Amino acid sequence: MRIAIISDIHSNLAALERVFSFLDSKKIDEIFCLGDLVGYGPSPNECIEMIKCNCLVVVAGNHDWGATKKIPLKNFNAMGKTSLQWTQKQINDKNREYLQNLPLKIVRHDITIVHASPVTPENWTYIFSNEDVKEAFKGFTTPICFIGHTHIAVVINEDLTGRKLQQNTRSFINVGSVGQPRDGNPKISFGIFDLESWFYELVRLEYDIHKTVDAIKKAGLPPILGTRLINGY
Ligand code: ZN
């Protein structure tokens, strides 16, 4: 059983199309999505519909609920807020209902799937420091927990050593972001996990960034949202 895990698409249709066309040529049994389908980018409805068709399991991100007014925008930064106000006007009723009803946390194949920290996921806590990591391990009991939210890919083991997946310790795997990577590398980031061999692969893919940058301009969204895609932050 091979699972592809994608996260933080942020309405970047060109990036999402690239992911699915890449996965078409691979032997993949299931696709999981860790939330933030929308926000920042110019194609919310198209991305939601593509995720609905292709992903077996989808959890909510903070931007998904911000886009449906399920949570207030006061905790988002200025760019997030502006793009979510725009997104609120764009998404159709069906897609709004779909985002509103996404669950916060799912366990499947003994793997936990959540957008931010699994400890009270509705608080959307970032996992950066060792203290954050120690606390977050209290939020799941499975061997592996896949997360997104920071847009930076990393594997963190429970003993806080090593950055490689090991079978004898529990781990967080952050798969990075499809639509807005923030590690200085503009390439799409997502993961493929083999349940039998326990092999995890981080995939980085180029895509037509300028297609999304142009669509951001056309939509009247802040141009910095395009520049940051080119710079990968
Ligand atoms: Zn995000």
Side-chain angles (χ1 to χ4, degrees), residues 9-233:
I9 293 88
H10 286 294
S11 298
N12 185 339
L13 185 61
L16 190 60
E17 284 175 337
R18 176 77 180 99
V19 169
F20 288 134
S21 71
F22 173 86
L23 291 176
D24 271 349
S25 65
K26 303 277 163 194
K27 202 190 147 292
I28 296 293
D29 300 290
E30 295 182 358
I31 305 175
F32 297 171
C33 175
L34 309 180
D36 275 4
L37 284 62
V38 301
Y40 296 129
S43 309
N45 287 309
E46 296 88 338
C47 287
I48 294 167
E49 275 142 31
M50 201 170 257
I51 293 286
K52 271 193 217 169
C53 290
N54 288 281
C55 297
L56 190 72
V57 171
V58 184
V59 291
N62 49 327
H63 284 257
D64 301 321
W65 281 5
T68 68
K69 302 185 183 173
K70 187 164 177 167
I71 55 172
L73 299 186
K74 64 175 187 327
N75 293 329
F76 290 89
N77 62 35
M79 256 189 291
K81 207 179 280 179
T82 304
S83 69
L84 284 173
Q85 282 162 343
W86 179 88
T87 305
Q88 285 171 353
K89 290 183 208 138
Q90 302 296 317
I91 48 172
N92 61 43
D93 293 346
K94 250 189 169 175
N95 288 338
R96 184 175 303 111
E97 200 185 326
Y98 173 77
L99 293 182
Q100 268 170 347
N101 290 318
L102 287 176
L104 284 167
K105 184 156 70 169
I106 287 179
V107 175
R108 184 172 169 83
H109 304 309
D110 208 20
I111 291 169
T112 303
I113 302 137
V114 66
H115 183 66
S117 171
V119 178
T120 54
E122 65 275 23
N123 290 347
W124 317 106
T125 308
Y126 288 94
I127 303 173
F128 283 126
S129 70
N130 282 352
E131 289 312 306
D132 300 338
V133 173
K134 279 183 202 161
E135 182 60 24
F137 268 103
K138 296 175 190 164
F140 70 105
T141 54
T142 56
I144 293 180
C145 178
F146 280 102
I147 55 169
H149 199 37
T150 63
H151 298 204
I152 295 172
V154 67
V155 176
I156 310 171
N157 296 324
E158 197 165 18
D159 57 8
L160 304 180
T161 60
R163 287 290 185 262
K164 260 197 147 173
L165 192 60
Q166 292 163 1
Q167 281 214 43
N168 57 353
T169 175
R170 296 195 308 138
S171 307
F172 273 111
I173 301 180
N174 191 318
V175 298
S177 168
V178 167
Q180 196 194 75
R182 291 181 191 160
D183 59 352
N185 175 355
K187 287 181 185 173
I188 292 166
S189 175
F190 66 97
I192 296 177
F193 180 59
D194 188 313
L195 265 176
E196 278 78 40
S197 66
W198 209 255
F199 181 72
Y200 173 70
E201 178 193 0
L202 181 73
V203 182
R204 301 299 300 254
L205 292 177
E206 280 181 6
Y207 71 103
D208 189 351
I209 292 185
H210 291 282
K211 207 170 167 183
T212 301
V213 172
D214 289 347
I216 285 169
K217 274 187 212 152
K218 239 186 204 160
L221 286 161
I224 181 78
L225 290 169
T227 315
R228 72 184 295 182
L229 294 181
I230 294 165
N231 295 327
Y233 67 87

